[in-house]
Amino acid sequence: MTNSANSSEYVTPNWEEAAPKASSEQPIESNATHKTNDTQAASSNTEATIASPKAHLLLVDDNPDNLRLLSRMLTRKQYTTELASSGREALSIARSITFDLILLDITMPDMDGYEVCQRLKVNPQTREIPVIFISALNEVMDKVRAFGAGGVDYITKPFQFAEVLARLENHLTLQRLQKQLADQNERLQAEVQERQRAEQALQEKEEYLRLILNNIPQQVFWKDTNLIFRGCNQNWAAATQLKHPEEVVGKTNYDLFSPRSVADTFEAQDRAIVENNRLVHMVIKKQRTAGKPGKRMWIDMKKLPIHDEEGRVIGILGVFEDITERKIAEQALQTEKQRTEQLLLNILPQAIVDRLKTIDGSIADRFDEATVLFADIVGFTSMSAQIPPTQVVNMLNEIFSTFDRLAERHKLEKIKTIGDAYMVAGGIPLACTDHAEAVANMALDMLSKLDEMRENIGLPLQIRIGINTGPVVAGVIGVKKFIYDLWGDTVNVASRMESTGEPNRIQVTDAIYQRLHDQFEFEPRGLIQVKGKGAMQSYWLLRSNSPQKQLPAD
């Protein structure tokens, strides 16, 4: 079809299949005032954008000439456009840029317009964008399918640009009106909900205040700035020996409280609240006057200023509560907590107890330096067979209790007892530098204390002691009857020092000797065979070179 120069808004008839080929067939281009190349069109597009564009459009067609032609026409009408030459490109652009409307071709090679529209409508990000189909397909079912895919309009090629413009602006207007209506409806709903919430909150507040006065266990009163009572609840009236709450109205502290010194105290307190605009809170401990004579009771007292809408103090609100039962329960709970914690401390070190309160699961730490001591009663099995079981237990209890006190004095950690064996360590769970010296001193004290107990018990008690120092792993494992324990080669060698030792002697490793030979006196024993280690040099610990501090009596 040939178009006259004045028909500048009539588009090439077959937009999907062919682009204009001659200047006589491109009336838009024939106007001398129009720019004739893509660069000039882009410049025109930018100028239109600066001049407040009407809307931002996405044009989709696999024919580049058609896209450029329609883009130039819309740009002159102050629309900004983005161009997509395929369905997939259109979907990608639509996800990254917000559009007011999409003009969509149907027949495209990779993905037709129906599928593009369907994908746009299932994506929450793009489902609200109006889609107008532009196609040379003119069958009724083509249009039905387009509307079924989610399109809002269908324009058949060839078309008048004026028709495209009119339909485009019509749908943009509808979209704007719908958005305005939705926004207005949302605002109205929000206002209604807010009003309903305010009304409900007011009703709840009134009901709550009524329930406070009629049902709360606390004693409540209120008075004006002249410190004249204006009301109270039933509990406060009963506590002040009034028959009815109304009796308090018009009274003062001096009418209700005696002796006068008590009324003077309340009067000064209330006056300070009014003048300083400050809350007073205290717990009063006093003797009961009725019910349980001689028993103490605790009253939680709060007095706070009442304000008007402008923030001025207009009175005082007092709230009194008998918290005796709570105080008794808190004291009982605190006592039980202390008892429980003490039981834990009898089993685990303080540092480990503190960590168990804050973490779940096992605890394991590596210590590069620690000293381990094992002690074993010599001949205990045969000795226990000759005396009653109760005497055996009492004897072990006396011996190990003495060792426990020594461990505490030397700031060492008792690990465990196994039968008649006793294990203690230094440098764990809190690292220190004098752990080897402390363990050596305890070993010497153990022999000294055992000499004293031997005379009291009347049995030939003897012990072997072994000591080693080095790295260990310490921790708590398991979920029941757990203990704080040590693992590692250092522990095993310390045990071997004890088992290969001699009665009433302290056998130590070369590591102990190297660390303490300037502070203690040692006697070389020579090489001994140690299970799992072979020949090892060991020493007898004899005495300290420096006098120890005198240990207090048990």
Side-chain angles (χ1 to χ4, degrees):
M1 180 180 293
T2 304
N3 303 319
S4 65
N6 294 329
S7 300
S8 61
E9 293 192 345
Y10 187 80
V11 180
T12 306
N14 195 3
W15 184 47
E16 263 190 3
E17 298 177 1
K21 297 179 180 180
S23 61
S24 61
E25 295 178 353
Q26 299 180 47
I28 292 176
E29 299 296 331
S30 64
N31 193 327
T33 63
H34 296 164
K35 294 177 175 59
T36 59
N37 58 61
D38 293 341
T39 303
Q40 291 171 323
S43 175
S44 176
N45 191 4
T46 303
E47 292 172 1
T49 302
I50 296 174
S52 300
K54 294 180 179 179
H56 195 43
L57 311 178
L58 175 60
L59 311 182
V60 187
D61 194 295
D62 61 335
N63 189 319
D65 293 332
N66 288 345
L67 286 176
R68 287 192 292 270
L69 175 62
L70 189 56
S71 176
R72 282 196 295 268
M73 298 165 75
L74 290 169
T75 299
R76 290 166 187 160
K77 295 297 182 180
Q78 292 189 344
Y79 291 96
T80 58
T81 62
E82 298 286 343
L83 310 182
S85 59
S86 70
R88 298 190 186 281
E89 184 183 5
L91 292 173
S92 176
I93 295 175
R95 285 192 295 266
S96 59
I97 301 175
T98 301
F99 293 99
D100 298 299
L101 188 140
I102 298 175
L103 292 174
L104 179 61
D105 188 20
I106 292 179
T107 305
M108 292 181 289
D110 65 331
M111 183 186 300
D112 62 28
Y114 301 129
E115 184 177 353
V116 174
C117 187
Q118 289 171 344
R119 294 196 180 189
L120 289 170
K121 295 305 175 181
V122 298
N123 187 342
Q125 185 180 348
T126 57
R127 67 172 55 156
E128 301 300 328
I129 305 174
V131 177
I132 298 178
F133 285 93
I134 299 182
S135 176
L137 302 176
N138 197 24
E139 296 295 328
V140 173
M141 291 309 298
D142 296 323
K143 298 179 180 180
V144 170
R145 188 177 177 188
F147 287 114
V152 297
D153 208 341
Y154 192 102
I155 301 175
T156 306
K157 302 175 185 178
F159 55 78
Q160 291 283 347
F161 178 66
E163 177 189 4
V164 174
L165 195 61
R167 294 197 185 192
L168 184 151
E169 291 180 346
N170 180 54
H171 285 293
L172 288 174
T173 300
L174 285 174
Q175 184 188 36
R176 284 192 294 270
L177 292 175
Q178 288 173 349
K179 188 177 186 308
Q180 291 174 3
L181 183 61
D183 292 344
Q184 185 177 3
N185 185 50
E186 185 176 350
R187 286 194 299 272
L188 289 174
Q189 288 181 349
E191 291 175 2
V192 170
Q193 291 174 356
E194 182 61 30
R195 185 176 301 171
Q196 290 174 343
R197 283 194 294 268
E199 292 175 352
Q200 182 178 358
L202 181 60
Q203 293 175 357
E204 291 176 353
K205 183 177 181 180
E206 292 175 350
E207 179 66 13
Y208 183 66
L209 291 174
R210 184 184 68 82
L211 292 174
I212 287 177
L213 293 177
N214 294 334
N215 297 292
I216 64 170
Q218 291 85 358
Q219 305 162 20
V220 181
F221 72 83
W222 53 98
K223 58 175 65 175
D224 60 24
T225 54
N226 294 319
L227 309 186
I228 306 298
F229 283 94
R230 293 304 179 189
C232 68
N233 69 351
Q234 183 62 52
N235 287 336
W236 197 86
T240 51
Q241 300 179 358
L242 298 175
K243 294 181 179 179
H244 302 287
E246 292 79 8
E247 293 182 22
V248 78
V249 178
K251 295 186 181 299
T252 68
N253 289 319
Y254 296 100
D255 298 321
L256 298 173
F257 304 110
S258 61
R260 186 178 179 84
S261 60
V262 174
D264 286 339
T265 300
F266 287 156
E267 195 78 3
Q269 189 180 79
D270 295 345
R271 178 60 57 194
I273 293 172
V274 173
E275 293 176 354
N276 300 326
N277 190 18
R278 185 175 60 190
L279 175 148
V280 171
H281 180 206
M282 64 179 66
V283 175
I284 304 173
K285 185 178 180 181
K286 66 177 186 177
Q287 295 291 126
R288 290 186 184 272
T289 57
K292 297 180 179 179
K295 297 290 185 180
R296 289 190 177 275
M297 65 183 300
W298 286 265
I299 300 295
D300 183 273
M301 184 195 77
K302 296 185 184 72
K303 291 183 180 180
L304 58 156
I306 303 172
H307 302 94
D308 62 11
E309 294 181 352
E310 296 179 359
R312 294 174 299 193
V313 178
I314 59 173
I316 296 174
L317 177 67
V319 181
F320 291 65
E321 182 177 5
D322 185 345
I323 60 171
T324 303
E325 292 185 2
R326 189 176 78 195
K327 279 290 184 180
I328 293 173
E330 287 175 353
Q331 290 177 350
L333 181 62
Q334 182 63 25
T335 300
E336 190 62 30
K337 181 180 178 182
Q338 291 174 351
R339 183 182 295 115
T340 301
E341 185 145 334
Q342 189 57 48
L343 287 173
L344 276 175
L345 291 175
N346 287 337
I347 301 171
L348 302 171
Q350 177 73 61
I352 300 302
V353 171
D354 293 340
R355 288 173 64 183
L356 285 174
K357 292 177 183 178
T358 59
I359 65 173
D360 294 325
S362 60
I363 294 177
D365 300 303
R366 176 179 173 82
F367 295 88
D368 292 331
E369 288 190 3
T371 301
V372 182
L373 177 152
F374 280 93
D376 186 79
I377 300 176
V378 179
F380 177 78
T381 302
S382 59
M383 187 187 311
S384 62
Q386 300 172 15
I387 59 178
T390 303
Q391 186 176 348
V392 171
V393 173
N394 290 338
M395 178 182 67
L396 282 178
N397 181 62
E398 183 177 352
I399 295 172
F400 288 161
S401 295
T402 300
F403 292 171
D404 288 346
R405 288 189 286 271
L406 288 176
E408 185 175 357
R409 291 169 187 168
H410 288 286
K411 298 181 180 180
L412 301 174
E413 194 64 47
K414 173 188 175 181
I415 303 302
K416 60 186 173 181
T417 59
I418 306 174
D420 60 325
Y422 189 90
M423 178 181 179
V424 70
I428 54 91
L430 299 177
C432 63
T433 58
D434 62 345
H435 52 85
E437 179 183 355
V439 171
N441 281 323
M442 178 174 172
L444 294 170
D445 289 339
M446 290 169 73
L447 291 180
S448 177
K449 286 293 183 181
L450 194 66
D451 287 340
E452 299 175 10
M453 287 187 288
R454 187 182 300 115
E455 297 179 3
N456 296 332
I457 296 175
L459 292 174
L461 294 176
Q462 293 180 309
I463 60 172
R464 290 189 303 268
I465 299 176
I467 306 175
N468 186 28
T469 189
V472 298
V473 174
V476 178
I477 59 175
V479 295
K480 285 186 177 182
K481 297 181 179 179
F482 46 77
I483 64 170
Y484 186 68
D485 209 347
L486 304 182
W487 301 272
D489 187 64
T490 299
V491 179
N492 296 335
V493 172
S495 177
R496 297 289 183 262
M497 288 295 105
E498 176 274 314
S499 62
T500 60
E502 295 180 359
N504 289 341
R505 304 204 74 175
I506 306 167
Q507 183 171 224
V508 302
T509 60
D510 185 63
I512 289 289
Y513 173 77
Q514 294 300 330
R515 190 179 182 109
L516 300 178
H517 66 273
D518 291 333
Q519 300 165 262
F520 292 84
E521 184 177 340
F522 294 89
E523 176 187 326
R525 184 183 184 186
L527 294 175
I528 62 171
Q529 291 297 319
V530 176
K531 182 179 178 181
K533 300 295 290 184
M536 292 187 67
Q537 177 69 44
S538 70
Y539 297 82
W540 299 116
L541 171 62
L542 302 180
R543 61 187 61 85
S544 173
N545 289 334
S546 58
Q548 295 188 54
K549 293 181 180 179
Q550 183 66 34
L551 294 176
D554 291 336

